[in-house]
Amino acid sequence: MSLDGTYDDGNIFAKILRGEMPAARVFEDEHVYAFMDVFPQGRGHTLVIPKHSTARNFLDEEPERVAVLFQGVQRVAKAVRAAFNPDGLTIMQFNGAPAGQTVYHLHVHIIPRWEGVPLGRHAGGAMADMDELKDLAEQIAAKIS
Ligand code: AMP
């Protein structure tokens, strides 16, 4: 899918927001919802999405919603750091299939990084165990401030 197009409310993140698909929820407020990535590129890989948005990508989003989304991203990123004490954090966001995007509801990746551990494959590899993801989600949730 290119940068242009219409929002499909059948996408997997829209289903998660409607409660039609399970997710290991980390945090939500009135603007954002954070949950564990099921194909993690590293331990603690978390996604943050806007709750009331039909933006497929960053360019689609209303400017005032970008601000609240990234306030949520920063809040969750600080909790990820507090939970796992990583050496670094990769925060990334893909726009359009040629750039690597696979789900067309705007989202931001937060991936804890450790010295010498390469970033895992994007949107592939092994599906994580949901109980383990829920445990990681609880550890992050406990550090949200
Ligand atoms: P992107 O490729 O940037 O669009 O990112 C989509 C992300 O969603 C990938 O990292 C996938 O591993 C992840 N993903 C796909 N399906 C699910 C799901 N049901 N729950 C959580 N994460 C998912």
Side-chain angles (χ1 to χ4, degrees), residues 12-13 16 21-23 35-41 45 47 93-94 100-104 107 109 122-124:
I12 198 106
F13 294 170
I16 286 172
M21 285 284 296
F35 56 107
M36 306 310 295
D37 195 304
V38 287
F39 298 101
Q41 290 181 254
H45 184 166
L47 299 169
Q93 192 274 321
F94 301 95
Q101 186 174 11
T102 58
V103 178
Y104 297 92
H107 54 280
H109 299 259
H122 177 66

mmCIF file of all heavy atoms in Angstrom, residues 12-13 16 21-23 35-41 45 47 93-94 100-104 107 109 122-124, ligand 1:
data_model
loop_
_atom_site.group_PDB
_atom_site.id
_atom_site.type_symbol
_atom_site.label_atom_id
_atom_site.label_comp_id
_atom_site.label_asym_id
_atom_site.label_seq_id
_atom_site.Cartn_x
_atom_site.Cartn_y
_atom_site.Cartn_z
ATOM 1 N N ILE A 12 -5.944 -4.668 11.668
ATOM 2 C CA ILE A 12 -5.805 -5.406 12.934
ATOM 3 C C ILE A 12 -5.779 -4.499 14.161
ATOM 4 O O ILE A 12 -6.319 -4.852 15.219
ATOM 5 C CB ILE A 12 -4.555 -6.311 12.863
ATOM 6 C CG1 ILE A 12 -4.579 -7.400 13.908
ATOM 7 C CG2 ILE A 12 -3.283 -5.561 12.958
ATOM 8 C CD1 ILE A 12 -4.867 -8.725 13.345
ATOM 9 N N PHE A 13 -5.208 -3.318 14.030
ATOM 10 C CA PHE A 13 -5.151 -2.427 15.205
ATOM 11 C C PHE A 13 -6.530 -1.821 15.496
ATOM 12 O O PHE A 13 -6.877 -1.614 16.666
ATOM 13 C CB PHE A 13 -4.088 -1.345 15.026
ATOM 14 C CG PHE A 13 -2.670 -1.873 14.973
ATOM 15 C CD1 PHE A 13 -1.629 -1.041 14.609
ATOM 16 C CD2 PHE A 13 -2.376 -3.192 15.286
ATOM 17 C CE1 PHE A 13 -0.312 -1.520 14.560
ATOM 18 C CE2 PHE A 13 -1.082 -3.689 15.230
ATOM 19 C CZ PHE A 13 -0.040 -2.846 14.868
ATOM 20 N N ILE A 16 -8.229 -4.426 17.417
ATOM 21 C CA ILE A 16 -7.759 -4.441 18.811
ATOM 22 C C ILE A 16 -8.437 -3.318 19.592
ATOM 23 O O ILE A 16 -8.928 -3.536 20.715
ATOM 24 C CB ILE A 16 -6.214 -4.329 18.856
ATOM 25 C CG1 ILE A 16 -5.588 -5.667 18.413
ATOM 26 C CG2 ILE A 16 -5.725 -3.937 20.253
ATOM 27 C CD1 ILE A 16 -4.080 -5.629 18.232
ATOM 28 N N MET A 21 -10.022 -8.209 18.788
ATOM 29 C CA MET A 21 -8.804 -9.034 18.739
ATOM 30 C C MET A 21 -8.093 -8.884 20.073
ATOM 31 O O MET A 21 -8.105 -7.806 20.660
ATOM 32 C CB MET A 21 -7.850 -8.522 17.642
ATOM 33 C CG MET A 21 -8.264 -8.851 16.242
ATOM 34 S SD MET A 21 -7.956 -10.569 15.834
ATOM 35 C CE MET A 21 -6.180 -10.646 15.952
ATOM 36 N N PRO A 22 -7.463 -9.969 20.574
ATOM 37 C CA PRO A 22 -6.749 -9.852 21.850
ATOM 38 C C PRO A 22 -5.465 -9.045 21.695
ATOM 39 O O PRO A 22 -4.888 -8.977 20.618
ATOM 40 C CB PRO A 22 -6.429 -11.307 22.201
ATOM 41 C CG PRO A 22 -6.411 -12.021 20.894
ATOM 42 C CD PRO A 22 -7.376 -11.309 19.988
ATOM 43 N N ALA A 23 -5.053 -8.442 22.785
ATOM 44 C CA ALA A 23 -3.772 -7.722 22.812
ATOM 45 C C ALA A 23 -3.256 -7.729 24.241
ATOM 46 O O ALA A 23 -4.039 -7.782 25.189
ATOM 47 C CB ALA A 23 -3.958 -6.287 22.325
ATOM 48 N N PHE A 35 0.423 -1.421 23.534
ATOM 49 C CA PHE A 35 0.329 -2.871 23.692
ATOM 50 C C PHE A 35 1.594 -3.509 23.138
ATOM 51 O O PHE A 35 2.377 -2.871 22.415
ATOM 52 C CB PHE A 35 -0.922 -3.420 22.985
ATOM 53 C CG PHE A 35 -1.028 -3.086 21.520
ATOM 54 C CD1 PHE A 35 -0.805 -4.063 20.548
ATOM 55 C CD2 PHE A 35 -1.343 -1.807 21.097
ATOM 56 C CE1 PHE A 35 -0.901 -3.761 19.191
ATOM 57 C CE2 PHE A 35 -1.431 -1.499 19.743
ATOM 58 C CZ PHE A 35 -1.215 -2.476 18.797
ATOM 59 N N MET A 36 1.785 -4.790 23.486
ATOM 60 C CA MET A 36 3.002 -5.477 23.068
ATOM 61 C C MET A 36 2.886 -5.937 21.616
ATOM 62 O O MET A 36 1.838 -6.444 21.192
ATOM 63 C CB MET A 36 3.270 -6.710 23.959
ATOM 64 C CG MET A 36 3.311 -6.426 25.455
ATOM 65 S SD MET A 36 4.366 -5.060 25.927
ATOM 66 C CE MET A 36 5.981 -5.683 25.454
ATOM 67 N N ASP A 37 3.982 -5.799 20.866
ATOM 68 C CA ASP A 37 4.053 -6.325 19.496
ATOM 69 C C ASP A 37 4.141 -7.855 19.558
ATOM 70 O O ASP A 37 4.947 -8.402 20.307
ATOM 71 C CB ASP A 37 5.285 -5.737 18.792
ATOM 72 C CG ASP A 37 5.244 -5.924 17.288
ATOM 73 O OD1 ASP A 37 5.123 -7.089 16.835
ATOM 74 O OD2 ASP A 37 5.338 -4.934 16.559
ATOM 75 N N VAL A 38 3.288 -8.537 18.801
ATOM 76 C CA VAL A 38 3.279 -10.014 18.859
ATOM 77 C C VAL A 38 4.424 -10.670 18.074
ATOM 78 O O VAL A 38 4.658 -11.863 18.235
ATOM 79 C CB VAL A 38 1.948 -10.651 18.393
ATOM 80 C CG1 VAL A 38 0.860 -10.464 19.404
ATOM 81 C CG2 VAL A 38 1.536 -10.208 17.024
ATOM 82 N N PHE A 39 5.079 -9.885 17.220
ATOM 83 C CA PHE A 39 6.288 -10.378 16.536
ATOM 84 C C PHE A 39 7.446 -9.469 16.950
ATOM 85 O O PHE A 39 7.953 -8.680 16.137
ATOM 86 C CB PHE A 39 6.113 -10.381 15.017
ATOM 87 C CG PHE A 39 5.013 -11.276 14.527
ATOM 88 C CD1 PHE A 39 3.778 -10.743 14.160
ATOM 89 C CD2 PHE A 39 5.192 -12.650 14.445
ATOM 90 C CE1 PHE A 39 2.756 -11.562 13.712
ATOM 91 C CE2 PHE A 39 4.174 -13.477 13.996
ATOM 92 C CZ PHE A 39 2.952 -12.927 13.631
ATOM 93 N N PRO A 40 7.847 -9.550 18.229
ATOM 94 C CA PRO A 40 8.779 -8.554 18.756
ATOM 95 C C PRO A 40 10.145 -8.590 18.088
ATOM 96 O O PRO A 40 10.690 -9.657 17.829
ATOM 97 C CB PRO A 40 8.877 -8.905 20.245
ATOM 98 C CG PRO A 40 8.408 -10.321 20.351
ATOM 99 C CD PRO A 40 7.450 -10.545 19.225
ATOM 100 N N GLN A 41 10.669 -7.394 17.850
ATOM 101 C CA GLN A 41 12.030 -7.271 17.294
ATOM 102 C C GLN A 41 13.059 -7.193 18.416
ATOM 103 O O GLN A 41 14.257 -7.068 18.155
ATOM 104 C CB GLN A 41 12.123 -6.034 16.403
ATOM 105 C CG GLN A 41 11.338 -6.197 15.116
ATOM 106 C CD GLN A 41 11.457 -4.989 14.235
ATOM 107 O OE1 GLN A 41 10.509 -4.205 14.116
ATOM 108 N NE2 GLN A 41 12.596 -4.807 13.597
ATOM 109 N N HIS A 45 9.290 -5.074 23.067
ATOM 110 C CA HIS A 45 8.834 -4.283 21.907
ATOM 111 C C HIS A 45 7.367 -3.888 22.101
ATOM 112 O O HIS A 45 6.482 -4.737 22.164
ATOM 113 C CB HIS A 45 9.016 -5.133 20.644
ATOM 114 C CG HIS A 45 8.679 -4.436 19.365
ATOM 115 N ND1 HIS A 45 9.056 -4.956 18.144
ATOM 116 C CD2 HIS A 45 8.008 -3.300 19.076
ATOM 117 C CE1 HIS A 45 8.638 -4.163 17.175
ATOM 118 N NE2 HIS A 45 7.989 -3.156 17.714
ATOM 119 N N LEU A 47 4.062 -1.130 21.093
ATOM 120 C CA LEU A 47 3.474 -0.265 20.065
ATOM 121 C C LEU A 47 2.561 0.757 20.731
ATOM 122 O O LEU A 47 1.860 0.418 21.703
ATOM 123 C CB LEU A 47 2.649 -1.101 19.076
ATOM 124 C CG LEU A 47 3.412 -2.173 18.299
ATOM 125 C CD1 LEU A 47 2.431 -3.102 17.568
ATOM 126 C CD2 LEU A 47 4.377 -1.544 17.305
ATOM 127 N N GLN A 93 8.945 4.327 13.122
ATOM 128 C CA GLN A 93 7.597 4.461 12.570
ATOM 129 C C GLN A 93 7.718 4.382 11.055
ATOM 130 O O GLN A 93 8.540 5.075 10.461
ATOM 131 C CB GLN A 93 7.049 5.822 13.051
ATOM 132 C CG GLN A 93 5.586 6.064 12.847
ATOM 133 C CD GLN A 93 5.314 6.605 11.474
ATOM 134 O OE1 GLN A 93 6.073 7.423 10.961
ATOM 135 N NE2 GLN A 93 4.264 6.136 10.870
ATOM 136 N N PHE A 94 6.935 3.505 10.407
ATOM 137 C CA PHE A 94 7.047 3.254 8.965
ATOM 138 C C PHE A 94 5.843 3.818 8.222
ATOM 139 O O PHE A 94 4.720 3.748 8.717
ATOM 140 C CB PHE A 94 7.108 1.744 8.699
ATOM 141 C CG PHE A 94 8.258 1.058 9.371
ATOM 142 C CD1 PHE A 94 8.107 0.454 10.605
ATOM 143 C CD2 PHE A 94 9.511 1.018 8.776
ATOM 144 C CE1 PHE A 94 9.171 -0.180 11.230
ATOM 145 C CE2 PHE A 94 10.582 0.387 9.388
ATOM 146 C CZ PHE A 94 10.410 -0.216 10.621
ATOM 147 N N GLY A 100 8.294 -0.354 4.673
ATOM 148 C CA GLY A 100 8.238 -1.424 5.654
ATOM 149 C C GLY A 100 6.941 -1.503 6.438
ATOM 150 O O GLY A 100 6.773 -2.379 7.289
ATOM 151 N N GLN A 101 5.991 -0.591 6.164
ATOM 152 C CA GLN A 101 4.732 -0.617 6.917
ATOM 153 C C GLN A 101 3.903 -1.836 6.532
ATOM 154 O O GLN A 101 3.773 -2.160 5.339
ATOM 155 C CB GLN A 101 3.932 0.676 6.653
ATOM 156 C CG GLN A 101 2.681 0.786 7.517
ATOM 157 C CD GLN A 101 1.967 2.130 7.361
ATOM 158 O OE1 GLN A 101 2.267 2.913 6.466
ATOM 159 N NE2 GLN A 101 1.003 2.370 8.241
ATOM 160 N N THR A 102 3.330 -2.490 7.530
ATOM 161 C CA THR A 102 2.505 -3.679 7.279
ATOM 162 C C THR A 102 1.092 -3.556 7.851
ATOM 163 O O THR A 102 0.206 -4.303 7.455
ATOM 164 C CB THR A 102 3.154 -4.944 7.870
ATOM 165 O OG1 THR A 102 3.360 -4.767 9.274
ATOM 166 C CG2 THR A 102 4.489 -5.249 7.194
ATOM 167 N N VAL A 103 0.890 -2.630 8.792
ATOM 168 C CA VAL A 103 -0.448 -2.400 9.361
ATOM 169 C C VAL A 103 -0.773 -0.923 9.165
ATOM 170 O O VAL A 103 0.024 -0.052 9.543
ATOM 171 C CB VAL A 103 -0.511 -2.778 10.855
ATOM 172 C CG1 VAL A 103 -1.905 -2.474 11.416
ATOM 173 C CG2 VAL A 103 -0.166 -4.255 11.069
ATOM 174 N N TYR A 104 -1.954 -0.654 8.599
ATOM 175 C CA TYR A 104 -2.261 0.702 8.139
ATOM 176 C C TYR A 104 -3.196 1.446 9.092
ATOM 177 O O TYR A 104 -4.232 1.985 8.686
ATOM 178 C CB TYR A 104 -2.775 0.648 6.690
ATOM 179 C CG TYR A 104 -1.673 0.098 5.817
ATOM 180 C CD1 TYR A 104 -1.593 -1.268 5.555
ATOM 181 C CD2 TYR A 104 -0.646 0.918 5.369
ATOM 182 C CE1 TYR A 104 -0.535 -1.795 4.829
ATOM 183 C CE2 TYR A 104 0.413 0.409 4.642
ATOM 184 C CZ TYR A 104 0.458 -0.955 4.377
ATOM 185 O OH TYR A 104 1.522 -1.468 3.671
ATOM 186 N N HIS A 107 1.040 4.002 13.905
ATOM 187 C CA HIS A 107 1.591 3.448 15.145
ATOM 188 C C HIS A 107 3.074 3.750 15.242
ATOM 189 O O HIS A 107 3.749 3.974 14.232
ATOM 190 C CB HIS A 107 1.360 1.936 15.230
ATOM 191 C CG HIS A 107 1.869 1.183 14.049
ATOM 192 N ND1 HIS A 107 1.170 1.106 12.858
ATOM 193 C CD2 HIS A 107 3.008 0.487 13.845
ATOM 194 C CE1 HIS A 107 1.855 0.391 11.997
ATOM 195 N NE2 HIS A 107 2.994 0.013 12.565
ATOM 196 N N HIS A 109 6.696 2.339 17.109
ATOM 197 C CA HIS A 109 7.375 1.219 17.762
ATOM 198 C C HIS A 109 8.339 1.743 18.834
ATOM 199 O O HIS A 109 9.093 2.692 18.578
ATOM 200 C CB HIS A 109 8.234 0.447 16.750
ATOM 201 C CG HIS A 109 7.476 -0.159 15.603
ATOM 202 N ND1 HIS A 109 7.146 -1.496 15.550
ATOM 203 C CD2 HIS A 109 6.991 0.388 14.459
ATOM 204 C CE1 HIS A 109 6.515 -1.744 14.416
ATOM 205 N NE2 HIS A 109 6.404 -0.624 13.729
ATOM 206 N N HIS A 122 11.797 -7.405 11.223
ATOM 207 C CA HIS A 122 10.585 -6.596 11.331
ATOM 208 C C HIS A 122 9.350 -7.365 10.862
ATOM 209 O O HIS A 122 9.345 -7.934 9.767
ATOM 210 C CB HIS A 122 10.747 -5.318 10.498
ATOM 211 C CG HIS A 122 9.517 -4.471 10.489
ATOM 212 N ND1 HIS A 122 9.035 -3.853 11.617
ATOM 213 C CD2 HIS A 122 8.657 -4.152 9.505
ATOM 214 C CE1 HIS A 122 7.931 -3.201 11.320
ATOM 215 N NE2 HIS A 122 7.678 -3.363 10.043
ATOM 216 N N ALA A 123 8.305 -7.350 11.711
ATOM 217 C CA ALA A 123 6.991 -7.913 11.361
ATOM 218 C C ALA A 123 7.102 -9.347 10.852
ATOM 219 O O ALA A 123 6.443 -9.731 9.894
ATOM 220 C CB ALA A 123 6.285 -7.023 10.336
ATOM 221 N N GLY A 124 7.910 -10.131 11.506
ATOM 222 C CA GLY A 124 8.059 -11.521 11.079
ATOM 223 C C GLY A 124 8.677 -12.324 12.200
ATOM 224 O O GLY A 124 8.603 -11.937 13.359
HETATM 225 P P1 AMP B 1 4.528 -1.896 10.726
HETATM 226 O O1 AMP B 1 5.170 -2.958 9.895
HETATM 227 O O2 AMP B 1 5.382 -0.722 11.074
HETATM 228 O O3 AMP B 1 3.203 -1.521 10.120
HETATM 229 O O4 AMP B 1 4.260 -2.535 12.151
HETATM 230 C C1 AMP B 1 3.219 -3.402 12.409
HETATM 231 C C2 AMP B 1 3.624 -4.160 13.623
HETATM 232 O O5 AMP B 1 2.491 -4.800 14.128
HETATM 233 C C3 AMP B 1 4.667 -5.248 13.349
HETATM 234 O O6 AMP B 1 5.804 -5.042 14.160
HETATM 235 C C4 AMP B 1 3.941 -6.542 13.688
HETATM 236 O O7 AMP B 1 4.786 -7.459 14.318
HETATM 237 C C5 AMP B 1 2.874 -6.053 14.626
HETATM 238 N N1 AMP B 1 1.649 -6.831 14.700
HETATM 239 C C6 AMP B 1 0.983 -7.437 13.693
HETATM 240 N N2 AMP B 1 -0.151 -8.014 14.158
HETATM 241 C C7 AMP B 1 -0.191 -7.746 15.484
HETATM 242 C C8 AMP B 1 -1.111 -8.062 16.544
HETATM 243 N N3 AMP B 1 -2.218 -8.781 16.317
HETATM 244 N N4 AMP B 1 -0.828 -7.632 17.786
HETATM 245 C C9 AMP B 1 0.300 -6.925 18.035
HETATM 246 N N5 AMP B 1 1.193 -6.590 17.086
HETATM 247 C C10 AMP B 1 0.955 -6.988 15.835
#
